[in-house]
């Protein structure tokens, strides 16, 4: 865990308890990754992809309990399958991506509810996925999130330009099959890890809100990307700090998302009154 | 000299035979314009040349593996997406991700590419703010920056005003001695004024030849189906001698 000690020491400037330091480090990695990947999600008009993948958690938890297998790997695996299914149907079906996402979302929720209604004990397992639980994160999970952040940087180094070009020039789409599936798979993993931090109800905001703020503030891709990442990380840490204040004392996931929405609102006001922008 | 030779090329998409027995020659270093009515298979033909559709028959190239630059009819993107012209052009020539900014060499190439199409003043403009003519010139710059042997344009003057169209055609004229240009167009006046070779397509080649041979009522009637009963047979499948072969 020595790898994480610089992050823990930095968090130690604000927080004394170990669980708060781990939460701060986990949120740093998660918000950095989610807001960076979220830029591609927003620019590719896939804002509801995280919702559809996130809701597959119902199926994952119920299946894991029915089959008596580990919840974590089952949930991750099912999220991956749903994400790849959406990419496949969007590429090969005759339906627009929003229709495919809507159908997959409904199907995942319906199957999850059907399974949960058959196995009532699954309801208990679902609770932590509804609202997320970043405060109980372990050292191992923080390390995993750090590794995910490293992977996302490598992924974005190689695929940002290709995926952006494919979303603009129709002909280029033909040569980007592998990149699209890689993106779908990677995004699904990010979503399923984010679900555990902020909950399935708020996961979309963690990916989409920082990118939306960046988009409001910026006129270039580079500026949008950098502002999204900065806003996402700031909102994550501000949300954690605010939720830990006795006078506020709210759920971390919800407070992080509220901080993101607050920054988005500020960006809209800033843009509205900035003289050089319409 | 012939750059692209199509010999009895056929394309079937689903159950629909879009192209049938298409035999045509596209001259090197000239501007070839493909004309025909809506749904005639013009875009499918250029996409087939670009290798996007499986086909019957043969397509041969000289050079054997040409480098293509493609200018699409439109861009399928959200016009509010923050993307500067220089960033868009860098997407096609740079591996460095946009979020790290443009390197100095790429920035120079982008500026030179825009200079070629008289659009250097657009370098820092958002893509979504461009007019139809400006967008087409930026797309042409993107195609030219890959140093292609063949530039393929799909209806480049659609949605472009008269002055923008004139400028685009002049720029294409200035390129054509060094590059082979293949263009699909609905605009017969543009095809007549700027094309060196015209292919009339209606699922198959109705006629091909120099503009002065093609732009005659009988050939156009056979291609577009106007006064079909009176003159349709006159231009059926007719090919004039290719001047670059004589």
């Amino acid at each position: 865990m020595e790898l994480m000690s610089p992050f823990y020491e930095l968090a130690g400037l604000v927080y004394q308890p170990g669980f708060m330091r781990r939460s701060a480090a986990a949120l740093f990695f998660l918000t950095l990754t989610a807001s960076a990947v979220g830029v591609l999600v927003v620019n590719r008009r896939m804002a509801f992809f995280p919702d559809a993948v996130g809701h597959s958690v119902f199926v994952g938890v119920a299946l894991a309990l029915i089959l008596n297998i580990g919840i974590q790997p089952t949930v991750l695996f099912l999220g991956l399958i749903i994400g790849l299914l959406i990419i496949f149907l969007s590429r090969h079906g005759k339906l627009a991506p929003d229709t495919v996402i809507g159908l997959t979302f409904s199907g995942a929720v319906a199957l999850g509810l059907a399974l949960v209604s058959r196995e009532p004990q699954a309801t208990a397992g679902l609770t932590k996925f509804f609202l997320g639980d970043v405060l109980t994160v372990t050292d191992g999970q923080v390390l995993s999130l750090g590794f995910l952040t490293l992977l996302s940087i490598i992924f974005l180094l190689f695929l940002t330009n290709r995926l952006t070009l494919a979303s603009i020039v129709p002909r280029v789409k033909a040569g980007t099959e592998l990149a699209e599936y890689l993106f779908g798979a990677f995004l699904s993993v990010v979503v399923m890890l984010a679900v555990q931090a902020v909950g399935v109800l708020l996961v979309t905001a963690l990916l989409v809100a920082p990118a939306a703020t960046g988009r409001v503030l910026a006129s270039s891709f580079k500026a949008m990307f950098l502002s999204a990442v900065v806003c996402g990380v700031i909102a994550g840490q501000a949300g954690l700090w605010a939720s830990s204040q006795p006078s506020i004392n709210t759920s971390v996931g919800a407070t992080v998302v509220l901080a993101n929405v607050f920054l988005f609102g500020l960006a809209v006001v800033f843009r509205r009154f900035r003289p050089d922008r319409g | 000299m012939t750059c692209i030779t199509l010999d009895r090329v056929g394309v079937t998409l689903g159950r629909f035979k879009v192209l049938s027995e298409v035999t045509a020659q596209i001259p090197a270093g000239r501007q070839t314009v493909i004309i025909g009515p809506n749904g005639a298979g013009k875009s499918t033909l250029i996409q087939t040349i670009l290798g996007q559709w499986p086909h019957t028959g043969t397509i041969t190239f000289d050079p054997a593996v040409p480098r293509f630059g493609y200018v699409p009819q439109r861009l399928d993107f959200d016009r509010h997406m923050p993307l500067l012209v220089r960033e868009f052009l860098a997407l096609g020539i740079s591996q460095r991700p946009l979020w790290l900014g443009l390197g100095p060499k790429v920035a120079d190439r982008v500026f030179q590419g825009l200079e070629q199409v008289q659009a250097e003043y657009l370098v820092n403009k958002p893509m979504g703010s461009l007019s139809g003519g400006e967008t087409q010139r930026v797309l042409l710059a993107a195609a030219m920056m890959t140093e292609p042997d063949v530039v393929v344009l799909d209806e480049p003057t659609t949605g472009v005003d008269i002055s923008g169209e004139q400028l685009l055609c002049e720029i294409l004229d200035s390129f054509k001695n060094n590059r082979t240009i293949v263009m699909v167009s609905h605009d017969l006046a543009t095809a007549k004024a700027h094309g060196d070779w015209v292919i009339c397509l209606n699922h198959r080649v109705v006629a091909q030849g120099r503009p002065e041979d093609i732009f005659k009522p009988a050939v156009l009637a056979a291609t577009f189906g106007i006064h079909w009963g009176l003159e349709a047979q006159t231009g059926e499948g007719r090919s004039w001698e290719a001047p670059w072969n004589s």
Side-chain angles (χ1 to χ4, degrees):
Chain A
M1 295 306 140
E2 283 179 13
L3 271 175
M4 292 296 122
S5 54
F7 296 98
Y8 291 157
E9 281 172 24
L10 199 62
L13 297 174
V14 183
Y15 308 110
Q16 289 309 312
F19 76 91
M20 286 301 286
R21 294 185 193 192
R22 283 193 296 276
S23 302
L27 270 176
F28 171 75
F29 291 128
L30 190 61
T31 51
L32 183 67
T33 305
S35 48
V37 177
V39 170
L40 288 181
V41 172
V42 168
N43 283 344
R44 294 173 64 79
R45 290 175 255 185
M46 296 168 71
F48 287 101
F49 182 99
D51 246 343
V53 171
H55 277 79
S56 70
V57 78
F58 295 133
V59 188
V61 171
L63 267 183
L65 290 172
I66 290 168
L67 302 174
N68 199 24
I69 50 179
I71 289 180
Q72 189 82 359
T74 313
V75 160
L76 261 180
F77 178 73
L78 266 170
L80 199 63
I81 296 292
I82 295 288
L84 291 175
L85 182 67
I86 292 173
I87 301 289
F88 175 81
L89 292 174
S90 300
R91 285 188 66 90
H92 297 284
K94 290 181 178 175
L95 298 170
D98 58 347
T99 311
V100 169
I101 290 173
L103 273 172
T104 318
F105 170 84
S106 308
V109 172
L111 181 60
L113 292 177
L115 290 171
V116 168
S117 63
R118 235 180 86 91
E119 297 290 330
Q121 76 270 24
T123 315
L126 280 173
T127 313
K128 74 176 231 181
F129 290 101
F130 267 120
L131 296 173
D133 197 5
V134 77
L135 294 177
T136 56
V137 74
T138 63
D139 283 329
Q141 286 170 323
V142 175
L143 193 64
S144 304
L145 285 170
F147 182 66
L148 179 78
T149 303
L150 190 66
L151 267 183
S152 75
I153 291 169
I154 295 169
F155 179 87
L156 291 168
L157 268 174
F158 287 101
L159 291 178
T160 299
N161 287 11
R162 180 175 282 264
L163 288 168
T164 304
L165 189 59
S167 68
I168 300 171
V169 184
R171 184 186 158 242
V172 179
K173 284 177 183 167
T176 55
E177 196 154 9
L178 180 63
E180 302 246 356
Y181 282 113
L182 274 174
F183 180 60
F186 187 71
L187 184 56
S188 302
V189 173
V190 173
V191 168
M192 296 318 282
L193 293 175
V195 160
Q196 294 172 40
V198 296
V200 71
L201 300 175
L202 299 172
V203 67
T204 297
L206 201 66
L207 278 108
V208 171
T213 307
R215 199 164 162 146
V216 168
L217 289 173
S219 56
S220 72
F221 185 98
K222 182 183 175 185
M224 176 187 174
F225 186 92
L226 296 179
S227 7
V229 169
V230 169
C231 289
V233 171
I234 288 176
Q237 297 304 317
L240 178 66
W241 180 83
S243 69
S244 70
Q245 300 308 299
S247 57
I248 297 177
N249 195 25
T250 46
S251 143
V252 179
T255 318
V256 167
V257 170
L258 278 175
N260 266 307
V261 173
F262 176 72
L263 284 180
F264 175 76
L266 273 185
V268 171
V269 172
F270 178 69
R271 179 183 164 130
R272 174 75 182 79
F273 292 105
R274 213 166 76 181
D276 59 321
R277 295 287 299 269
Chain B
M1 192 178 142
T2 303
C3 175
I4 303 171
T5 305
L6 300 117
D7 184 20
R8 302 175 69 185
V9 170
V11 174
T12 303
L13 300 178
R15 292 178 184 172
F16 186 57
K17 198 160 194 173
V18 184
L19 297 174
S20 172
E21 300 280 315
V22 170
T23 296
Q25 293 175 312
I26 291 172
R30 309 283 178 93
Q31 185 165 322
T32 298
V33 185
I34 302 169
I35 61 171
N38 285 338
K42 303 184 297 293
S43 294
T44 304
L45 179 60
I46 58 169
Q47 286 162 4
T48 306
I49 291 171
L50 291 167
Q52 287 197 285
W53 300 116
H55 62 86
T56 56
T58 56
I59 304 176
T60 49
F61 300 100
D62 185 12
V65 187
R67 200 189 325 227
F68 287 106
Y70 174 65
V71 179
Q73 188 178 350
R74 61 184 173 82
L75 285 181
D76 180 22
F77 85 118
D78 176 357
R79 294 185 76 86
H80 297 293
M81 174 177 169
L83 184 72
L84 302 177
V85 167
R86 62 186 159 92
E87 291 180 317
F88 171 72
L89 291 174
L91 283 175
I93 58 166
S94 174
Q95 297 299 319
R96 179 166 153 160
L98 284 186
W99 45 272
L100 285 179
L102 273 60
K105 280 184 186 171
V106 171
D108 280 348
R109 277 186 69 191
V110 164
F111 195 78
Q112 286 162 12
L114 285 170
E115 269 184 331
Q116 280 191 86
V117 296
Q118 301 176 34
E120 58 273 33
Y121 67 98
L122 297 175
V123 69
N124 286 322
K125 278 204 169 189
M127 283 296 291
S129 71
L130 304 185
S131 68
E134 288 172 336
T135 303
Q136 285 302 324
R137 277 188 286 147
V138 168
L139 289 173
L140 182 58
M144 295 303 292
M145 282 165 63
T146 59
E147 298 183 358
D149 300 304
V150 184
V151 183
V152 180
L153 302 98
D154 192 354
E155 301 195 26
T157 54
T158 302
V160 178
D161 62 20
I162 292 173
S163 59
E165 183 181 325
Q166 182 65 26
L167 181 57
L168 186 69
C169 290
E170 284 170 9
I171 291 165
L172 284 172
D173 283 345
S174 72
F175 288 151
K176 69 184 178 188
N177 289 328
N178 301 320
R179 320 263 185 218
T180 300
I181 296 172
V182 184
M183 176 165 79
V184 165
S185 182
H186 267 124
D187 186 347
L188 299 185
T190 303
K192 188 175 182 182
H194 298 277
D196 299 309
W197 190 251
V198 180
I199 297 172
C200 299
L201 192 75
N202 198 347
H203 302 295
R204 54 204 164 80
V205 174
V206 178
Q208 56 181 319
R210 289 173 299 192
E212 56 268 33
D213 298 322
I214 293 295
F215 288 96
K216 290 178 176 172
V219 179
L220 295 178
T223 306
F224 290 92
I226 306 162
H227 306 304
W228 178 259
L230 294 173
E231 298 182 283
Q233 299 304 313
T234 323
E236 277 290 312
R238 184 157 180 194
S239 288
W240 278 266
E241 180 63 24
W244 63 92
N245 286 337
S246 58

